[in-house]
Amino acid sequence: GESVGLHLPTLSVQEGDNSIINCAYSNSASDYFIWYKQESGKGPQFIIDIRSNMDKRQGQRVTVLLNKTVKHLSLQIAATQPGDSAVYFCAETPRGNQGGKLIFGQGTELSVKP
Amino acid sequence: DAGITQSPRHKVTETGTPVTLRCHQTENHRYMYWYRQDPGHGLRLIHYSYGVKDTDKGEVSDGYSVSRSKTEDFLLTLESATSSQTSVYFCAINRDRGLSKGTEAFFGQGTRLTVV
């Protein structure tokens, strides 16, 4: 079946360094992708999204890159801070998906060392 | 968080008992969702609703039913709880972020359910 998956389950970075979290998706018909951050004991929180007609989108300290050729999505966090420690999920919405239902990847845990 | 309230936040129940989880929203959104989150599986859609009395199945709907009698409330029922339904359950709404910005699934704080 269709799936969204992450390459690395855990990522440890030094405070101040840049972080890159990767995601592979299998449904080439997906046209909308979102990155979520989930802190312990809380629900997922929207970070940034990107549509399939774009290759790159920037937010505050975060950048999402979409490579449709290899069906790969990445989240870049600049100057990683201790508050960035969390589990990060990518999610996709296939084109024509009624109601905006999301298909989630398994998540990557980001740990920031002071 | 603002806009969505899940209740209860924690529950322990026995196998075979019925359990109902409630999701309440204050923003009048049309779409509401129930997801479950388990280690190694991320979040998986159980059921969703696209209006009052309008619901549909998600990826893992077996053993669950839902009801939406009014816009603000979306109930998830486990008719006869099993240990495999021990999980963290999240309710979500679709929040429109404006033209061309798409919509964002906005999540509640979650309900931790343990079936013993």
Side-chain angles (χ1 to χ4, degrees):
Chain A
E2 297 154 355
S3 65
V4 177
L6 293 170
H7 292 306
L8 296 174
T10 60
L11 177 64
S12 183
V13 300
Q14 202 71 36
E15 181 179 359
D17 288 350
N18 296 334
S19 302
I20 300 176
I21 300 172
N22 296 303
C23 177
Y25 64 95
S26 58
N27 188 347
S28 57
S30 291
D31 61 355
Y32 184 55
F33 305 86
I34 307 175
W35 280 100
Y36 284 90
K37 173 186 180 182
Q38 187 177 26
E39 297 173 283
S40 181
K42 297 184 178 181
Q45 180 183 8
F46 174 93
I47 302 174
I48 192 168
D49 62 353
I50 190 168
R51 292 202 174 276
S52 60
N53 60 354
M54 302 172 69
D55 297 321
K56 179 180 179 179
R57 190 149 186 255
Q58 288 184 291
Q60 187 176 12
R61 282 202 307 119
V62 295
T63 300
V64 55
L65 299 177
L66 176 63
N67 185 332
K68 294 180 287 294
T69 301
V70 295
K71 290 184 286 188
H72 184 268
L73 192 69
S74 69
L75 176 70
Q76 299 179 359
I77 304 174
T80 312
Q81 303 169 359
D84 294 327
S85 294
V87 177
Y88 290 81
F89 294 93
C90 63
E92 63 173 319
T93 300
R95 188 175 298 119
N97 188 326
Q98 180 188 3
K101 301 187 295 293
L102 295 170
I103 301 171
F104 283 86
Q106 292 184 314
T108 291
E109 183 172 7
L110 176 64
S111 176
V112 182
K113 296 176 290 186
Chain B
D1 206 342
I4 299 181
T5 303
Q6 290 186 231
S7 59
R9 293 294 312 280
H10 302 272
K11 186 171 182 65
V12 179
T13 191
E14 293 185 349
T15 299
T17 61
V19 177
T20 295
L21 309 182
R22 179 180 182 240
C23 178
H24 179 80
Q25 62 147 326
T26 59
E27 300 180 358
N28 202 37
H29 292 283
R30 179 183 174 194
Y31 286 95
M32 298 184 74
Y33 309 83
W34 276 107
Y35 289 86
R36 61 177 288 175
Q37 184 174 32
D38 305 290
H41 288 280
L43 287 92
R44 292 179 293 175
L45 182 66
I46 305 172
H47 281 279
Y48 70 101
S49 170
Y50 46 98
V52 173
K53 297 191 187 329
D54 292 323
T55 65
D56 204 350
K57 296 179 179 180
E59 178 187 1
V60 289
S61 59
D62 287 348
Y64 301 94
S65 62
V66 289
S67 64
R68 191 155 178 215
S69 59
K70 46 187 178 178
T71 299
E72 56 265 37
D73 289 325
F74 191 32
L75 305 181
L76 177 70
T77 297
L78 290 67
E79 300 292 347
S80 178
T82 66
S83 58
S84 65
Q85 293 176 311
T86 292
S87 186
V88 181
Y89 292 86
F90 286 99
C91 176
I93 58 173
N94 243 16
R95 178 180 279 172
D96 192 344
R97 299 190 301 113
L99 189 65
S100 82
K101 291 186 179 180
T103 58
E104 163 195 345
F106 183 79
F107 289 83
Q109 294 289 337
T111 295
R112 183 172 294 276
L113 176 68
T114 303
V115 183
V116 298

